[in-house]
Amino acid sequence: MNTPSFIKRLIRSVASPNEQARAKRQATHAIELCRALLSERGEISGAALAREALAAYNGLIDAALPVFFDLLASAFSPDPQELDRACEDYRARPCVDTLTRLQRAVEPPRQELFRRLNMGGGTTTLVAMRRQLLSALKSRPDWKSIDADLSHLFGSWFNRGFLTLERIDWRTPAIILEKLIQYEAVHEISGWKDLHRRLEADRRCFAFFHPALPDEPLIFIEVALTKGMSGAVQPLLDLDSPVTDPGIANTAIFYSITNCQEGLRGISFGNQLIKQVAQELGREFPRIKAFATLSPIPGFRRWVSGVAGELAATAAGRAALAEIARCDEADWCKHAADAGAAQKIIMPLCAYYLIHAKHDIEPADPVARFHLGNGARLERLNWLADTSKHGMQYSAGLMVNYLYRLDEVEDNHEIYVREHRVVASHALLKLARGSPLNKLSAKR
């Protein structure tokens, strides 16, 4: 298991006394500049101070980072006494004036600090700062207040109204194309030839950008223009596959959606991206009426391990466990007889997982939560759709189509939000009824 880079930096921060003293000096100096920035009233001098504070932060040695975050958490939080007084005043005399004072008392000075740093061109640094915080929060929960402030501000700064949708093609600057190769998180891009095939005439790629990060895609989506709904990803990723005429396509398959900036985790772009891309494609290709994903099921095998005890209670469940374990055998799926038997056992179990397995009150699968929350319908389960090592390891080679019917998206979204119900096709609902777990539930 890879250790997050920031955790490694924290480990390395167990430094010699001399280095610890240097770290404290650096962190204290950066915090002093932040204090000065907050007290500055002149716009020009404030921008200069912001740049100086950003440079001081970016120049911190590894051992200074925890010291800096400790000071940032403690020194720029709301004043408890002022907060108490503001609360008492509002309870005694609730009006606009006392409410305004209470709102000012509640807001941490840290938020105004981040706003001023941002005015000095600090967007990139602040996004990187949150990325570092997110990787360390489990071991340093006292830094959650810093993360909350950054997350709150990013929700406004990266509002859809500030984002621009751009098509990525072979004429896009190389610096952005390189970042697509670097960031792709669903189906690895093996190099320039692979990227070139994904940008051919029968493919489309779109990304959201922010004016403050012009060379940094925030999220991008890769699309294949096909006849009919694709049920396997390997043909879409085949570098030597023939380029087809996009004018005859009737379906747009969203086969990869990648969030690029870890520091913007939790800031939702995907819903807006899918809808806008569908509208763009509908205008360019009027024949396209179906918009669907070909999505991984990353939590399936992990969930199976968690319910192994229940499955072992029935012969069908034990057979399912045995077949899923065989997914790790090299080339087992190439044997038609074996694969056919496994399909009859595994497919109903996966359909049950997608429709009925829960994380609290929402679907257990993270990809399902994303698409169902965006108003898609769980449409079709595909056998041996991703036979890569990764696909077999996480989802027994299965992939799923989520269907976006533009005239149903809002209704599906409302059903999901209000009732937490999975909107699924009749075929998938029927398939899930054949699961060993469904039969166990029926007996209870």
Side-chain angles (χ1 to χ4, degrees):
M1 181 177 178
N2 292 329
T3 304
S5 60
F6 187 54
I7 298 297
K8 292 179 180 177
R9 296 176 75 178
L10 284 176
I11 293 171
R12 291 198 300 268
S13 70
V14 179
S16 65
N18 286 341
E19 190 173 6
Q20 288 177 356
R22 180 186 171 204
K24 185 175 181 180
R25 286 196 303 272
Q26 281 194 343
T28 302
H29 174 62
I31 289 294
E32 287 173 351
L33 288 171
C34 289
R35 289 184 189 279
L37 178 59
L38 267 183
S39 63
E40 182 58 53
R41 293 293 177 262
E43 186 173 331
I44 296 176
S45 55
L49 257 178
R51 290 191 293 271
E52 190 176 352
L54 290 165
Y57 171 77
N58 287 322
L60 293 177
I61 61 174
D62 291 344
L65 284 167
V67 183
F68 176 84
F69 286 129
D70 281 341
L71 292 170
L72 190 61
S74 61
F76 295 90
S77 290
D79 181 338
Q81 293 180 341
E82 173 60 24
L83 187 54
D84 284 342
R85 287 192 294 268
C87 286
E88 290 172 4
D89 287 349
Y90 180 72
R91 280 195 294 265
R93 190 169 58 90
C95 64
V96 173
D97 290 341
T98 55
L99 177 60
T100 301
R101 182 187 171 192
L102 178 57
Q103 290 171 330
R104 288 174 179 167
V106 167
E107 182 180 286
R110 213 169 17 245
Q111 289 192 19
E112 181 60 22
L113 170 64
F114 291 150
R115 292 188 191 99
R116 296 190 183 198
L117 289 171
N118 191 56
M119 292 294 289
T123 308
T124 301
T125 296
L126 292 172
V127 171
M129 182 186 292
R130 184 165 184 255
R131 183 185 70 242
Q132 293 172 322
L133 283 165
L134 288 172
S135 67
L137 284 183
K138 285 186 178 180
S139 60
R140 296 302 304 264
D142 49 319
W143 294 348
K144 286 183 178 179
S145 58
I146 308 173
D147 174 53
D149 290 334
L150 286 171
S151 179
H152 170 75
L153 293 171
F154 289 168
S156 299
W157 297 350
F158 291 90
N159 180 282
R160 173 64 190 92
F162 297 116
L163 306 184
T164 58
L165 180 72
E166 296 183 20
R167 180 182 168 187
I168 307 297
D169 58 25
W170 204 238
R171 296 165 295 182
T172 299
I175 187 173
I176 294 175
L177 296 180
E178 287 175 345
K179 287 178 178 175
L180 259 60
I181 296 175
Q182 173 190 344
Y183 290 139
E184 167 62 60
V186 183
H187 302 293
E188 180 183 1
I189 300 175
S190 59
W192 289 104
K193 182 179 178 183
D194 189 352
L195 179 62
H196 190 272
R197 179 63 188 93
R198 299 193 194 198
L199 300 178
E200 287 279 14
D202 58 350
R203 301 286 189 268
R204 289 294 184 272
C205 181
F206 295 89
F208 270 149
F209 289 86
H210 189 279
L213 304 170
D215 296 326
E216 283 286 348
L218 306 182
I219 183 173
F220 66 89
I221 186 170
E222 296 173 73
V223 187
L225 308 177
T226 64
K227 289 194 70 175
M229 192 180 299
S230 298
V233 76
Q234 266 72 40
L236 301 182
L237 301 177
D238 184 359
L239 273 65
D240 299 318
S241 61
V243 179
T244 60
D245 178 8
I248 64 173
N250 60 13
T251 306
I253 297 293
F254 306 144
Y255 65 92
S256 180
I257 302 174
T258 296
N259 283 290
C260 305
Q261 307 299 324
E262 177 63 16
L264 296 177
R265 187 201 304 172
I267 310 301
S268 178
F269 306 119
N271 180 22
Q272 300 135 345
L273 179 64
I274 289 172
K275 290 179 180 177
Q276 192 163 346
V277 167
Q279 292 168 355
E280 292 280 339
L281 292 173
R283 284 192 289 267
E284 185 178 4
F285 302 104
R287 288 173 57 93
I288 293 180
K289 302 300 181 184
F291 302 92
T293 75
L294 184 59
S295 298
I297 314 170
F300 175 52
R301 288 193 64 180
R302 182 173 63 250
W303 171 80
V304 169
S305 297
V307 297
E310 294 178 68
L311 288 170
T314 66
R318 290 191 292 275
L321 289 172
E323 289 295 344
I324 289 176
R326 291 187 62 204
C327 292
D328 296 324
E329 297 176 8
D331 298 335
W332 77 271
C333 59
K334 294 182 180 179
H335 304 289
D338 292 344
Q343 179 178 1
K344 294 177 182 178
I345 295 172
I346 296 175
M347 290 273 280
L349 186 60
C350 189
Y352 181 93
Y353 163 71
L354 289 169
I355 295 171
H356 299 295
K358 299 295 182 183
H359 174 76
D360 294 328
I361 59 175
E362 295 193 59
D365 193 79
V367 176
R369 291 197 295 270
F370 173 78
H371 288 297
L372 294 169
N374 288 341
R377 183 174 80 182
L378 188 61
E379 184 68 12
R380 188 178 74 185
L381 196 57
N382 301 293
W383 178 247
L384 297 183
D386 182 3
T387 54
S388 68
K389 181 179 178 180
H390 188 274
M392 301 305 293
Q393 179 181 359
Y394 288 96
S395 59
L398 295 169
M399 298 188 80
V400 62
N401 300 117
Y402 294 95
L403 182 62
Y404 283 85
R405 293 188 183 276
L406 299 186
D407 58 342
E408 297 178 2
V409 163
E410 294 301 329
D411 289 341
N412 291 345
H413 170 75
E414 288 300 318
I415 290 172
Y416 180 81
V417 170
R418 290 198 311 267
E419 305 173 25
H420 305 288
R421 178 159 57 90
V422 173
V423 179
S425 65
H426 293 298
L428 266 178
L429 291 168
K430 181 179 179 181
L431 187 62
R433 288 196 287 271
S435 162
L437 289 178
N438 190 67
K439 293 174 182 177
L440 278 174
S441 300
K443 289 180 180 178
R444 293 186 183 121

mmCIF file of all heavy atoms in Angstrom, residues 252 274 305 393 396:
data_model
loop_
_atom_site.group_PDB
_atom_site.id
_atom_site.type_symbol
_atom_site.label_atom_id
_atom_site.label_comp_id
_atom_site.label_asym_id
_atom_site.label_seq_id
_atom_site.Cartn_x
_atom_site.Cartn_y
_atom_site.Cartn_z
ATOM 1 N N ALA A 252 -23.754 8.034 -27.323
ATOM 2 C CA ALA A 252 -22.528 8.582 -26.751
ATOM 3 C C ALA A 252 -22.225 7.817 -25.464
ATOM 4 O O ALA A 252 -23.048 7.792 -24.548
ATOM 5 C CB ALA A 252 -22.677 10.075 -26.462
ATOM 6 N N ILE A 274 -21.440 16.285 -17.276
ATOM 7 C CA ILE A 274 -22.168 15.299 -18.071
ATOM 8 C C ILE A 274 -23.315 15.960 -18.824
ATOM 9 O O ILE A 274 -23.502 15.736 -20.024
ATOM 10 C CB ILE A 274 -22.681 14.167 -17.166
ATOM 11 C CG1 ILE A 274 -21.506 13.307 -16.691
ATOM 12 C CG2 ILE A 274 -23.700 13.299 -17.908
ATOM 13 C CD1 ILE A 274 -21.869 12.290 -15.642
ATOM 14 N N SER A 305 -16.546 -9.771 -0.083
ATOM 15 C CA SER A 305 -15.759 -10.249 1.060
ATOM 16 C C SER A 305 -16.474 -9.947 2.372
ATOM 17 O O SER A 305 -16.431 -10.743 3.311
ATOM 18 C CB SER A 305 -14.373 -9.593 1.061
ATOM 19 O OG SER A 305 -13.642 -9.951 -0.096
ATOM 20 N N GLN A 393 -9.743 -7.573 -10.585
ATOM 21 C CA GLN A 393 -9.432 -7.479 -9.160
ATOM 22 C C GLN A 393 -10.550 -6.806 -8.374
ATOM 23 O O GLN A 393 -10.855 -7.214 -7.254
ATOM 24 C CB GLN A 393 -8.117 -6.712 -8.974
ATOM 25 C CG GLN A 393 -7.694 -6.534 -7.527
ATOM 26 C CD GLN A 393 -6.402 -5.751 -7.403
ATOM 27 O OE1 GLN A 393 -5.803 -5.350 -8.407
ATOM 28 N NE2 GLN A 393 -5.967 -5.526 -6.183
ATOM 29 N N ALA A 396 -14.607 -8.263 -10.735
ATOM 30 C CA ALA A 396 -14.775 -9.556 -11.406
ATOM 31 C C ALA A 396 -15.022 -9.376 -12.904
ATOM 32 O O ALA A 396 -15.698 -10.186 -13.537
ATOM 33 C CB ALA A 396 -15.916 -10.344 -10.763
#
